[in-house]
């Protein structure tokens, strides 16, 4: 059967988030280890970011390995067979293959009936992908989707630049979502502003090579991550509260009704500033920055999966989530977790 029609109900207008999974990169790198390479200290990094260790993939660990492991574990929690999937959507800025890595993940999972493609929106990628996948489910054209956020920024960090190398790590997280009559995705807002994009980039190489006698070309490749940390920080603490406020108002939900604040994990100071803006007590703010740093598109599903598995996030809980990062891109979503009780 055409996978776009398989099992789809024309009456499904909502989505349920019912399974999560995550996968870790092989190596743990401490602040002190970085201090042996660049002029930094555990004290500086912890006090400015909240990060104490991050995970970095080993050279033989591909992005598709991390993504497939996270996906498998989300499928197991949802109790789904891979063949029942209609969509595998991979949020990443660091594919194994620029032509797309989602099909390799689809094959590794055995999700033979699913269409698979990548979506790039840096640290907003998971949130943008969740919302994108939900549109297919809401129209009734698909029934089951696996949304994976996975990144290996370690491949593009300048490990000699102390201003950025202390921030990033690798990882993957995934969420299984299904068409449902009762809508678990209460609302969302997505934003982009390319005019401010110059503060955080992973830019293509500027090369100018001879192609033929009268022709030249630009050879592919990328420079390391370039970041104006202070501008990114200002952007985050201005735009994240604003987009969350707008979403909560549209959904007529007060911040006091939230069970959890689920933000992109970039810096503990950003999490604290957003929580304070809404008077959300710290225990309700999900954070695993200390152990992972910023894993870009992976942070939101990774920290969600940890909290689901240790029993903090339970079925029926209401979460406000916001992703933000390069592009510039940012957004928010309000959803109810409906995983196994
Ligand atoms: N160790 C020691 N000193 C450092 C380090 C370091 N790792 N990094 C910078 N410094 C120094 C600077 O050189 C500077 O020294 P100077 O005054 O002698 O010039 C001093 O510390 C202060 O630097 P600031 O940049 O002002 O430090 P700040 O308090 O702003 O913290 C940080 C920097 C942590 C990067 C912060 O700006 C931040 O978190 N910004 C957000 C970054 C972010 O989240 N990026 C990812 C976005 S998501 C995505 O899409 C990928």
């Amino acid at each position: 059967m055409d996978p776009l029609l398989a099992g789809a109900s024309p009456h499904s207008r909502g989505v349920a988030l019912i399974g999560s999974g995550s996968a870790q990169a092989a190596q743990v790198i401490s602040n002190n280890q970085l201090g042996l390479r660049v002029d930094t200290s555990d004290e500086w990094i912890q006090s400015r970011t909240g990060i104490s260790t991050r995970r970095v993939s080993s050279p033989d660990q591909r992005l598709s390995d991390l993504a497939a492991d996270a996906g498998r574990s989300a499928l197991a929690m949802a109790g789904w067979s891979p063949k029942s999937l209609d969509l595998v959507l991979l949020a990443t800025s660091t594919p194994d293959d620029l032509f797309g890595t989602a099909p390799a993940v689809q094959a590794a999972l055995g999700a033979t009936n699913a269409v698979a493609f990548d979506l790039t929106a840096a640290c907003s990628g998971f949130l943008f992908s969740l919302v994108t996948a939900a549109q297919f489910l809401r129209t009734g054209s698909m029934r089951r989707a696996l949304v994976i956020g996975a990144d290996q920024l370690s491949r593009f960090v300048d490990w000699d630049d102390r201003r950025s190398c202390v921030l990033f790590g690798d990882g993957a997280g995934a969420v299984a979502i299904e068409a449902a009559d009762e809508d678990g995705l209460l609302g969302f807002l997505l934003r982009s502003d390319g005019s401010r994009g110059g503060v955080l980039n992973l830019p293509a190489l500027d090369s100018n090579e001879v192609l033929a006698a009268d022709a030249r070309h630009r050879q592919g490749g990328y420079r390391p991550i370039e970041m104006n940390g202070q501008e990114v920080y200002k952007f985050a603490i201005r735009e994240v509260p604003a987009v969350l406020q707008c979403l909560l108002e549209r959904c007529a939900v007060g911040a006091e009704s939230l069970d959890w604040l689920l933000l992109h994990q970039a810096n503990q100071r950003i999490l604290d500033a957003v929580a304070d803006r809404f008077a959300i007590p710290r225990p309700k703010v999900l954070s695993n920055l200390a152990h992972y740093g910023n894993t870009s598109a992976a942070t939101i599903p990774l920290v969600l999966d940890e909290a689901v598995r240790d029993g903090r996030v339970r079925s029926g809980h209401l979460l406000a989530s916001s992703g933000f990062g390069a592009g510039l891109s940012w957004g928010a979503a309000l959803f109810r977790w409906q995983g196994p009780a």
Side-chain angles (χ1 to χ4, degrees):
M1 192 191 294
D2 182 338
L4 290 178
L5 298 175
S9 157
H11 305 298
S12 297
R13 286 295 178 266
V15 298
L17 292 86
I18 65 165
S20 66
S22 58
Q24 281 81 33
Q27 306 171 101
V28 178
I29 308 291
S30 69
N31 291 343
N32 287 331
Q33 281 172 284
L34 292 182
L36 296 174
R37 179 162 177 148
V38 293
D39 183 13
T40 190
S41 66
D42 181 52
E43 195 282 328
W44 193 97
I45 302 170
Q46 287 217 39
S47 62
R48 300 286 178 124
T49 70
I51 299 165
S52 54
T53 59
R54 73 283 297 138
R55 284 180 169 266
V56 171
S57 305
S58 53
D60 60 351
Q61 203 171 24
R62 293 167 304 182
L63 183 92
S64 57
D65 298 329
L66 284 174
D69 284 349
R72 246 178 240 111
S73 128
L75 289 180
M77 185 184 289
W80 295 352
S81 101
K83 289 193 170 35
S84 72
L85 279 175
D86 303 313
L87 172 67
V88 175
L89 188 43
L90 174 64
T92 189
S93 304
T94 53
D96 294 330
D97 184 332
L98 274 185
F99 286 158
T101 294
V105 177
Q106 177 244 26
L109 292 172
T112 47
N113 295 312
V115 64
F117 59 94
D118 294 11
L119 188 154
T120 298
C123 299
S124 309
F126 177 78
L127 204 80
F128 280 32
S129 296
L130 180 70
V131 170
T132 301
Q135 308 315 306
F136 288 108
L137 305 187
R138 282 185 162 160
T139 59
S141 64
M142 291 186 184
R143 194 168 63 92
R144 287 182 168 174
L146 186 63
V147 183
I148 305 174
D151 264 312
Q152 289 181 320
L153 288 182
S154 65
R155 286 162 36 210
F156 297 99
V157 164
D158 176 353
W159 288 104
D160 294 316
D161 177 7
R162 70 174 183 172
R163 292 165 303 143
S164 59
C165 77
V166 300
L167 301 176
F168 299 108
D170 302 336
V175 168
I177 68 172
E178 183 168 49
D181 292 332
E182 192 184 340
D183 201 357
L185 181 60
L186 279 62
F188 63 85
L189 285 169
L190 306 180
R191 299 274 184 260
S192 305
D193 183 359
S195 71
R196 289 189 275 163
V199 297
L200 181 53
N201 304 94
L202 203 174
L205 284 173
D206 293 320
S207 74
N208 187 333
E209 311 285 336
V210 175
L211 171 67
D214 296 323
R216 306 187 70 83
H217 77 108
R218 190 171 166 189
Q219 189 61 44
Y222 292 87
R223 296 206 302 270
I225 292 170
E226 297 168 359
M227 184 185 71
N228 181 332
Q230 286 190 1
E231 288 304 315
V232 175
Y233 187 87
K234 281 191 261 177
F235 148 70
I237 59 167
R238 186 173 53 240
E239 300 295 1
V240 174
V243 75
L244 277 169
Q245 177 73 36
C246 188
L247 181 62
L248 291 173
E249 280 172 12
R250 280 196 193 183
C251 297
V253 168
E256 69 287 350
S257 309
L258 299 173
D259 293 296
W260 298 103
L261 187 62
L262 171 60
L263 302 182
H264 167 53
Q265 310 278 299
N267 185 321
Q268 188 62 44
R269 288 190 293 155
I270 295 175
L271 302 192
D272 293 345
V274 177
D276 289 349
R277 165 70 182 73
F278 293 99
I280 295 173
R282 294 293 150 78
K284 288 186 163 189
V285 183
L286 295 176
S287 174
N288 63 2
L289 261 164
H291 304 301
Y292 294 97
N294 179 348
T295 57
S296 194
T299 66
I300 290 176
L302 214 167
V303 71
L304 173 65
D305 183 51
E306 283 189 344
V308 166
R309 285 174 194 274
D310 69 20
R312 278 175 293 161
V313 171
R314 297 197 300 275
S315 195
H317 277 184
L318 184 62
L319 295 95
S321 184
S322 178
F324 53 92
L328 295 173
S329 61
W330 68 103
L334 187 64
F335 64 84
R336 222 169 261 294
W337 180 250
Q338 289 157 294

